[in-house]
Amino acid sequence: MGTTIFTVMSSLAAEYKAINLGQGFPDFNMNEELTGLVAKAMQDGHNQYVHMAGYGPLREAIAAKVERLYGTTINAGDEVTITPGGTYAIYSSITAVINPGDEVILFEPAYDSYRPNIEINGGVPVIIKLQHPGYGIDWNEVRSKITARTRMIMLNSPHNPTGSVLGENDIEQLRSIVQDTHILILSDEVYEHLIFDSRQHLSLLKYPDLMERSFVCFSFGKTYHCTGWKLGYCIAPAGLTKEFRKVHQFNCFSCHTPSQVALASFLYNEESYLSVGPFLQKKKDYFQGLMGSTQLKPLPSYGSYFQLYSYDGLSDEKESDFAKRLVKEYGVATIPTSAFYSDGTDNKVLRFCFAKKEETLEMAVERLRELK
Ligand SMILES: Cc1ncc(COP(=O)(O)O)c(C=O)c1O
């Protein structure tokens, strides 16, 4: 493994004192009530290991939230496991069930941990490209790639880096492909609340026949603007959770206690997560409005805090060269979308993160206006 473009872009951004719209993290403060609850949990003495599966009341709060949002009853005891972040939940799910030679279908562009996570377990990534520029799934191609060795299909909605989201038709197609098979599903739903334009998040937790074969992974870091907390969870039926916990118990074992205690009460505040979509929609609309004065063209995006922009017609440079030039000459860091493909597919598209203060977005766009 070499150094990834993410590290390269971040170092360049620091070197050139660029505005960093590349990395996916908010530059504004998180909810003070929640940080207060963490401080209180520490002062109240919640500073030792909790249960291997996570703090019980937090798992209960998650089960209650799932019931409210998706109408599904899950068992907090043996279907929910708290993890140090979504990435870890994904890794543990794959490690729990993928054996050497198992094929795993994944869609690219993809979050960068997926493929290495499969390969380190001896699995074989079977890569299908999402269809540029809408980045939908070609289900006929999925059908054509299913073999007797297909063990898992990995999904991510809302999607990083494209902002595409799954619709009812995708769910129907998925259902018809996996029924009567032993194929498992990993559904990465870390951006569950970051969804726009009146779209509904179609969690696999809504569909009992799909849920019974799924690991569904979440991240508090994304929901509560605290990526540095590295806290998330995995929901899976009891049989799969049992396997998941075999990996988890000898890896992290138990996660940061005070944050879990704080979230156990905070999660009952529906507004705290239902307001995230409208809050970020405003940022997205604001950013898109400002970007209208540049020569970059937005691609459709309905979720996550990323927006792709095309520079087609503006330059023939490779995405990585163009992105590096943006940092060096204009002082704005982005991520080339080719970084999310194993074969470096290059559509002249860059990823921007708009989860930033208005003044950060304004400063970045002021610089991008000069782009020629
Ligand atoms: C698609 C996707 N999945 C998972 C994660 C990981 O979340 P966490 O920071 O909780 O590990 C990210 C973070 O960028 C992501 O974009």
Side-chain angles (χ1 to χ4, degrees):
M1 287 274 161
T3 310
T4 69
I5 188 77
F6 302 94
T7 312
V8 172
M9 293 309 293
S10 289
S11 317
L12 266 185
E15 187 183 336
Y16 286 85
K17 299 196 172 33
I19 299 169
N20 195 349
L21 302 189
Q23 261 191 315
F25 64 87
D27 71 345
F28 42 84
N29 277 340
M30 63 176 295
N31 186 295
E32 277 180 20
E33 185 188 339
L34 183 51
T35 51
L37 286 170
V38 178
K40 181 170 183 317
M42 288 181 174
Q43 283 150 9
D44 288 350
H46 294 284
N47 299 303
Q48 309 307 330
Y49 297 130
V50 286
H51 191 283
M52 182 265 278
Y55 183 56
L58 176 57
R59 285 184 282 135
E60 294 291 347
I62 289 169
K65 177 182 177 225
V66 167
E67 178 109 46
R68 267 197 313 276
L69 284 182
Y70 305 123
T72 304
T73 306
I74 56 168
N75 184 329
D78 55 17
E79 296 185 318
V80 184
T81 311
I82 309 297
T83 62
T87 314
Y88 175 104
I90 294 162
Y91 173 80
S92 303
S93 307
I94 293 172
T95 304
V97 295
I98 296 302
N99 290 306
D102 285 347
E103 293 176 4
V104 180
I105 291 185
L106 85 141
F107 301 97
E108 286 191 345
Y111 181 54
D112 57 331
S113 76
Y114 293 174
R115 194 166 60 94
N117 283 187
I118 297 164
E119 288 172 341
I120 205 165
N121 284 291
V124 180
V126 175
I127 293 163
I128 295 176
K129 283 185 194 176
L130 297 174
Q131 297 171 303
H132 171 78
Y135 296 100
I137 294 175
D138 178 347
W139 289 102
N140 287 331
E141 190 176 354
V142 178
R143 272 193 189 82
S144 74
K145 295 273 170 71
I146 301 285
T147 73
R149 299 214 62 96
T150 308
R151 180 73 171 135
M152 180 183 268
I153 297 177
M154 292 182 75
L155 295 167
N156 171 213
S157 179
H159 184 255
N160 172 15
T162 70
S164 65
V165 299
L166 294 181
E168 288 289 359
N169 177 53
D170 296 302
I171 301 292
E172 277 315 309
Q173 298 279 351
L174 176 66
R175 175 176 277 146
S176 76
I177 288 174
V178 298
Q179 71 186 4
D180 304 324
T181 73
H182 295 292
I183 299 172
L184 300 172
I185 299 168
L186 189 146
S187 185
D188 177 348
E189 302 185 12
V190 300
Y191 298 106
E192 110 191 90
H193 298 299
L194 286 66
I195 187 155
F196 315 122
D197 302 332
S198 312
R199 302 272 170 140
Q200 292 295 315
H201 172 57
L202 300 185
S203 174
L204 289 208
L205 299 175
K206 280 177 72 164
Y207 309 94
D209 59 322
L210 293 174
M211 198 198 138
E212 70 181 16
R213 58 175 80 233
S214 298
F215 294 95
V216 191
C217 302
F218 298 91
S219 168
F220 288 115
K222 305 294 180 186
T223 301
Y224 289 128
H225 312 308
C226 52
T227 58
W229 279 25
K230 292 301 292 188
L231 201 63
Y233 54 99
C234 176
I235 299 178
L240 293 179
T241 293
K242 195 169 161 211
E243 298 307 308
F244 182 100
R245 289 182 185 169
K246 287 180 191 170
V247 177
H248 175 63
Q249 73 180 339
F250 294 128
N251 197 358
C252 156
F253 177 69
S254 142
C255 305
H256 191 250
T257 300
S259 318
Q260 293 187 64
V261 173
L263 284 163
S265 55
F266 194 68
L267 212 54
Y268 285 97
N269 172 359
E270 286 187 23
E271 189 53 22
S272 72
Y273 51 82
L274 295 180
S275 61
V276 177
F279 171 75
L280 282 167
Q281 169 110 50
K282 273 198 200 135
K283 293 213 175 282
K284 174 177 139 76
D285 293 346
Y286 187 64
F287 182 55
Q288 211 158 311
L290 292 171
M291 286 290 277
S293 61
T294 73
Q295 298 195 57
L296 299 167
K297 298 281 170 281
L299 273 67
S301 160
Y302 303 103
S304 82
Y305 42 42
F306 302 112
Q307 171 82 56
L308 298 184
Y309 275 87
S310 165
Y311 61 90
D312 202 14
L314 191 63
S315 163
D316 287 331
E317 284 159 287
K318 280 192 347 187
E319 286 175 5
S320 53
D321 291 340
F322 189 73
K324 282 179 197 156
R325 192 159 70 82
L326 272 192
V327 180
K328 292 180 186 171
E329 295 179 14
Y330 297 91
V332 179
T334 61
I335 300 288
T337 312
S338 50
F340 300 89
Y341 287 95
S342 323
D343 68 358
T345 294
D346 196 310
N347 290 310
K348 296 194 168 36
V349 170
L350 302 178
R351 188 192 78 173
F352 292 76
C353 174
F354 55 78
K356 308 288 174 190
K357 293 180 202 142
E358 285 192 356
E359 65 249 41
T360 311
L361 298 174
E362 285 161 9
M363 272 192 310
V365 175
E366 210 173 290
R367 296 173 180 198
L368 293 172
R369 257 184 222 125
E370 308 297 317
L371 193 60
K372 288 188 251 327

mmCIF file of all heavy atoms in Angstrom, residues 44-69:
data_model
loop_
_atom_site.group_PDB
_atom_site.id
_atom_site.type_symbol
_atom_site.label_atom_id
_atom_site.label_comp_id
_atom_site.label_asym_id
_atom_site.label_seq_id
_atom_site.Cartn_x
_atom_site.Cartn_y
_atom_site.Cartn_z
ATOM 1 N N ASP A 44 -19.376 12.019 36.899
ATOM 2 C CA ASP A 44 -20.218 11.085 37.663
ATOM 3 C C ASP A 44 -19.555 9.717 37.831
ATOM 4 O O ASP A 44 -20.156 8.788 38.379
ATOM 5 C CB ASP A 44 -21.583 10.899 36.969
ATOM 6 C CG ASP A 44 -22.460 12.145 37.102
ATOM 7 O OD1 ASP A 44 -22.086 13.044 37.877
ATOM 8 O OD2 ASP A 44 -23.492 12.214 36.400
ATOM 9 N N GLY A 45 -18.370 9.560 37.255
ATOM 10 C CA GLY A 45 -17.619 8.318 37.493
ATOM 11 C C GLY A 45 -17.799 7.233 36.439
ATOM 12 O O GLY A 45 -17.414 6.085 36.665
ATOM 13 N N HIS A 46 -18.342 7.591 35.277
ATOM 14 C CA HIS A 46 -18.489 6.581 34.209
ATOM 15 C C HIS A 46 -17.194 6.493 33.406
ATOM 16 O O HIS A 46 -17.131 6.911 32.251
ATOM 17 C CB HIS A 46 -19.666 6.945 33.290
ATOM 18 C CG HIS A 46 -20.985 6.884 33.962
ATOM 19 N ND1 HIS A 46 -21.627 5.694 34.254
ATOM 20 C CD2 HIS A 46 -21.799 7.864 34.434
ATOM 21 C CE1 HIS A 46 -22.774 5.935 34.855
ATOM 22 N NE2 HIS A 46 -22.897 7.246 34.988
ATOM 23 N N ASN A 47 -16.177 5.969 34.031
ATOM 24 C CA ASN A 47 -14.856 6.004 33.397
ATOM 25 C C ASN A 47 -14.202 4.632 33.266
ATOM 26 O O ASN A 47 -13.003 4.547 32.972
ATOM 27 C CB ASN A 47 -13.939 6.950 34.192
ATOM 28 C CG ASN A 47 -14.478 8.371 34.199
ATOM 29 O OD1 ASN A 47 -14.698 8.960 33.148
ATOM 30 N ND2 ASN A 47 -14.747 8.903 35.380
ATOM 31 N N GLN A 48 -14.958 3.582 33.483
ATOM 32 C CA GLN A 48 -14.384 2.229 33.367
ATOM 33 C C GLN A 48 -15.026 1.491 32.191
ATOM 34 O O GLN A 48 -15.983 1.965 31.598
ATOM 35 C CB GLN A 48 -14.574 1.457 34.682
ATOM 36 C CG GLN A 48 -14.116 2.213 35.924
ATOM 37 C CD GLN A 48 -12.671 2.726 35.831
ATOM 38 O OE1 GLN A 48 -11.830 2.122 35.177
ATOM 39 N NE2 GLN A 48 -12.394 3.849 36.482
ATOM 40 N N TYR A 49 -14.481 0.308 31.893
ATOM 41 C CA TYR A 49 -15.041 -0.497 30.794
ATOM 42 C C TYR A 49 -16.542 -0.686 30.959
ATOM 43 O O TYR A 49 -17.035 -0.868 32.068
ATOM 44 C CB TYR A 49 -14.427 -1.910 30.793
ATOM 45 C CG TYR A 49 -12.949 -1.988 30.553
ATOM 46 C CD1 TYR A 49 -12.132 -2.738 31.400
ATOM 47 C CD2 TYR A 49 -12.360 -1.354 29.460
ATOM 48 C CE1 TYR A 49 -10.772 -2.854 31.176
ATOM 49 C CE2 TYR A 49 -10.988 -1.466 29.228
ATOM 50 C CZ TYR A 49 -10.192 -2.218 30.092
ATOM 51 O OH TYR A 49 -8.861 -2.329 29.864
ATOM 52 N N VAL A 50 -17.239 -0.654 29.821
ATOM 53 C CA VAL A 50 -18.641 -1.088 29.856
ATOM 54 C C VAL A 50 -18.715 -2.458 29.192
ATOM 55 O O VAL A 50 -17.692 -3.000 28.750
ATOM 56 C CB VAL A 50 -19.597 -0.106 29.125
ATOM 57 C CG1 VAL A 50 -19.817 1.137 29.936
ATOM 58 C CG2 VAL A 50 -19.106 0.202 27.719
ATOM 59 N N HIS A 51 -19.902 -2.981 29.071
ATOM 60 C CA HIS A 51 -20.132 -4.288 28.446
ATOM 61 C C HIS A 51 -19.470 -4.351 27.070
ATOM 62 O O HIS A 51 -19.445 -3.354 26.341
ATOM 63 C CB HIS A 51 -21.642 -4.508 28.313
ATOM 64 C CG HIS A 51 -22.033 -5.900 27.927
ATOM 65 N ND1 HIS A 51 -21.925 -6.374 26.634
ATOM 66 C CD2 HIS A 51 -22.515 -6.924 28.672
ATOM 67 C CE1 HIS A 51 -22.334 -7.624 26.591
ATOM 68 N NE2 HIS A 51 -22.691 -7.989 27.821
ATOM 69 N N MET A 52 -18.953 -5.511 26.718
ATOM 70 C CA MET A 52 -18.276 -5.700 25.434
ATOM 71 C C MET A 52 -19.142 -5.235 24.258
ATOM 72 O O MET A 52 -18.654 -4.670 23.278
ATOM 73 C CB MET A 52 -17.915 -7.184 25.303
ATOM 74 C CG MET A 52 -17.177 -7.558 24.054
ATOM 75 S SD MET A 52 -18.282 -8.161 22.761
ATOM 76 C CE MET A 52 -18.504 -9.856 23.253
ATOM 77 N N ALA A 53 -20.452 -5.430 24.338
ATOM 78 C CA ALA A 53 -21.335 -5.053 23.218
ATOM 79 C C ALA A 53 -21.704 -3.576 23.247
ATOM 80 O O ALA A 53 -22.294 -3.066 22.297
ATOM 81 C CB ALA A 53 -22.605 -5.894 23.265
ATOM 82 N N GLY A 54 -21.341 -2.885 24.334
ATOM 83 C CA GLY A 54 -21.688 -1.469 24.467
ATOM 84 C C GLY A 54 -22.552 -1.223 25.688
ATOM 85 O O GLY A 54 -23.153 -2.157 26.240
ATOM 86 N N TYR A 55 -22.607 0.049 26.087
ATOM 87 C CA TYR A 55 -23.382 0.456 27.264
ATOM 88 C C TYR A 55 -24.861 0.103 27.032
ATOM 89 O O TYR A 55 -25.458 0.552 26.033
ATOM 90 C CB TYR A 55 -23.191 1.962 27.443
ATOM 91 C CG TYR A 55 -23.837 2.590 28.642
ATOM 92 C CD1 TYR A 55 -23.583 2.140 29.929
ATOM 93 C CD2 TYR A 55 -24.678 3.691 28.485
ATOM 94 C CE1 TYR A 55 -24.160 2.752 31.033
ATOM 95 C CE2 TYR A 55 -25.263 4.313 29.583
ATOM 96 C CZ TYR A 55 -24.999 3.834 30.853
ATOM 97 O OH TYR A 55 -25.576 4.450 31.939
ATOM 98 N N GLY A 56 -25.420 -0.692 27.933
ATOM 99 C CA GLY A 56 -26.775 -1.218 27.747
ATOM 100 C C GLY A 56 -27.819 -0.150 27.419
ATOM 101 O O GLY A 56 -28.544 -0.266 26.421
ATOM 102 N N PRO A 57 -27.897 0.931 28.230
ATOM 103 C CA PRO A 57 -28.918 1.956 27.948
ATOM 104 C C PRO A 57 -28.735 2.613 26.564
ATOM 105 O O PRO A 57 -29.716 3.031 25.950
ATOM 106 C CB PRO A 57 -28.716 2.977 29.079
ATOM 107 C CG PRO A 57 -28.127 2.160 30.197
ATOM 108 C CD PRO A 57 -27.235 1.135 29.540
ATOM 109 N N LEU A 58 -27.512 2.679 26.072
ATOM 110 C CA LEU A 58 -27.326 3.243 24.723
ATOM 111 C C LEU A 58 -27.876 2.276 23.680
ATOM 112 O O LEU A 58 -28.552 2.685 22.728
ATOM 113 C CB LEU A 58 -25.839 3.541 24.444
ATOM 114 C CG LEU A 58 -25.551 4.037 23.020
ATOM 115 C CD1 LEU A 58 -26.350 5.306 22.681
ATOM 116 C CD2 LEU A 58 -24.055 4.317 22.823
ATOM 117 N N ARG A 59 -27.632 1.004 23.867
ATOM 118 C CA ARG A 59 -28.176 0.031 22.904
ATOM 119 C C ARG A 59 -29.705 0.054 22.927
ATOM 120 O O ARG A 59 -30.359 -0.050 21.897
ATOM 121 C CB ARG A 59 -27.624 -1.370 23.198
ATOM 122 C CG ARG A 59 -26.166 -1.479 22.737
ATOM 123 C CD ARG A 59 -25.606 -2.866 22.904
ATOM 124 N NE ARG A 59 -25.239 -3.160 24.274
ATOM 125 C CZ ARG A 59 -25.530 -4.285 24.918
ATOM 126 N NH1 ARG A 59 -26.216 -5.232 24.318
ATOM 127 N NH2 ARG A 59 -25.137 -4.472 26.162
ATOM 128 N N GLU A 60 -30.278 0.257 24.133
ATOM 129 C CA GLU A 60 -31.749 0.382 24.239
ATOM 130 C C GLU A 60 -32.225 1.632 23.497
ATOM 131 O O GLU A 60 -33.252 1.608 22.799
ATOM 132 C CB GLU A 60 -32.183 0.495 25.715
ATOM 133 C CG GLU A 60 -31.931 -0.740 26.562
ATOM 134 C CD GLU A 60 -32.820 -1.923 26.190
ATOM 135 O OE1 GLU A 60 -33.796 -1.729 25.445
ATOM 136 O OE2 GLU A 60 -32.512 -3.049 26.635
ATOM 137 N N ALA A 61 -31.483 2.723 23.655
ATOM 138 C CA ALA A 61 -31.868 3.985 22.989
ATOM 139 C C ALA A 61 -31.793 3.825 21.465
ATOM 140 O O ALA A 61 -32.637 4.357 20.733
ATOM 141 C CB ALA A 61 -30.950 5.122 23.455
ATOM 142 N N ILE A 62 -30.811 3.086 20.992
ATOM 143 C CA ILE A 62 -30.685 2.853 19.546
ATOM 144 C C ILE A 62 -31.871 2.015 19.058
ATOM 145 O O ILE A 62 -32.485 2.316 18.027
ATOM 146 C CB ILE A 62 -29.336 2.156 19.228
ATOM 147 C CG1 ILE A 62 -28.195 3.146 19.448
ATOM 148 C CG2 ILE A 62 -29.322 1.607 17.798
ATOM 149 C CD1 ILE A 62 -26.803 2.516 19.429
ATOM 150 N N ALA A 63 -32.215 0.991 19.828
ATOM 151 C CA ALA A 63 -33.354 0.146 19.432
ATOM 152 C C ALA A 63 -34.638 0.979 19.380
ATOM 153 O O ALA A 63 -35.442 0.851 18.442
ATOM 154 C CB ALA A 63 -33.501 -1.018 20.405
ATOM 155 N N ALA A 64 -34.806 1.880 20.348
ATOM 156 C CA ALA A 64 -36.009 2.733 20.374
ATOM 157 C C ALA A 64 -36.009 3.664 19.155
ATOM 158 O O ALA A 64 -37.049 3.897 18.525
ATOM 159 C CB ALA A 64 -36.039 3.544 21.665
ATOM 160 N N LYS A 65 -34.843 4.162 18.793
ATOM 161 C CA LYS A 65 -34.743 5.073 17.637
ATOM 162 C C LYS A 65 -35.072 4.329 16.343
ATOM 163 O O LYS A 65 -35.786 4.848 15.475
ATOM 164 C CB LYS A 65 -33.319 5.649 17.593
ATOM 165 C CG LYS A 65 -33.053 6.544 16.409
ATOM 166 C CD LYS A 65 -31.601 7.036 16.395
ATOM 167 C CE LYS A 65 -31.349 7.856 15.162
ATOM 168 N NZ LYS A 65 -30.115 7.544 14.476
ATOM 169 N N VAL A 66 -34.580 3.119 16.221
ATOM 170 C CA VAL A 66 -34.844 2.318 15.016
ATOM 171 C C VAL A 66 -36.344 2.045 14.896
ATOM 172 O O VAL A 66 -36.932 2.140 13.825
ATOM 173 C CB VAL A 66 -34.030 0.999 15.049
ATOM 174 C CG1 VAL A 66 -34.517 0.026 13.982
ATOM 175 C CG2 VAL A 66 -32.547 1.291 14.873
ATOM 176 N N GLU A 67 -36.965 1.762 16.025
ATOM 177 C CA GLU A 67 -38.414 1.504 16.027
ATOM 178 C C GLU A 67 -39.173 2.752 15.560
ATOM 179 O O GLU A 67 -40.072 2.676 14.727
ATOM 180 C CB GLU A 67 -38.838 1.117 17.450
ATOM 181 C CG GLU A 67 -40.301 0.873 17.616
ATOM 182 C CD GLU A 67 -40.625 -0.604 17.834
ATOM 183 O OE1 GLU A 67 -39.944 -1.236 18.654
ATOM 184 O OE2 GLU A 67 -41.562 -1.091 17.182
ATOM 185 N N ARG A 68 -38.776 3.912 16.097
ATOM 186 C CA ARG A 68 -39.438 5.184 15.739
ATOM 187 C C ARG A 68 -39.256 5.504 14.261
ATOM 188 O O ARG A 68 -40.184 5.886 13.564
ATOM 189 C CB ARG A 68 -38.810 6.330 16.548
ATOM 190 C CG ARG A 68 -39.501 6.660 17.828
ATOM 191 C CD ARG A 68 -39.123 8.026 18.381
ATOM 192 N NE ARG A 68 -37.706 8.351 18.419
ATOM 193 C CZ ARG A 68 -36.863 8.009 19.388
ATOM 194 N NH1 ARG A 68 -37.290 7.292 20.406
ATOM 195 N NH2 ARG A 68 -35.605 8.373 19.340
ATOM 196 N N LEU A 69 -38.019 5.344 13.785
ATOM 197 C CA LEU A 69 -37.707 5.787 12.413
ATOM 198 C C LEU A 69 -38.125 4.787 11.354
ATOM 199 O O LEU A 69 -38.597 5.161 10.292
ATOM 200 C CB LEU A 69 -36.202 6.024 12.269
ATOM 201 C CG LEU A 69 -35.615 7.285 12.865
ATOM 202 C CD1 LEU A 69 -34.129 7.352 12.558
ATOM 203 C CD2 LEU A 69 -36.309 8.525 12.296
#
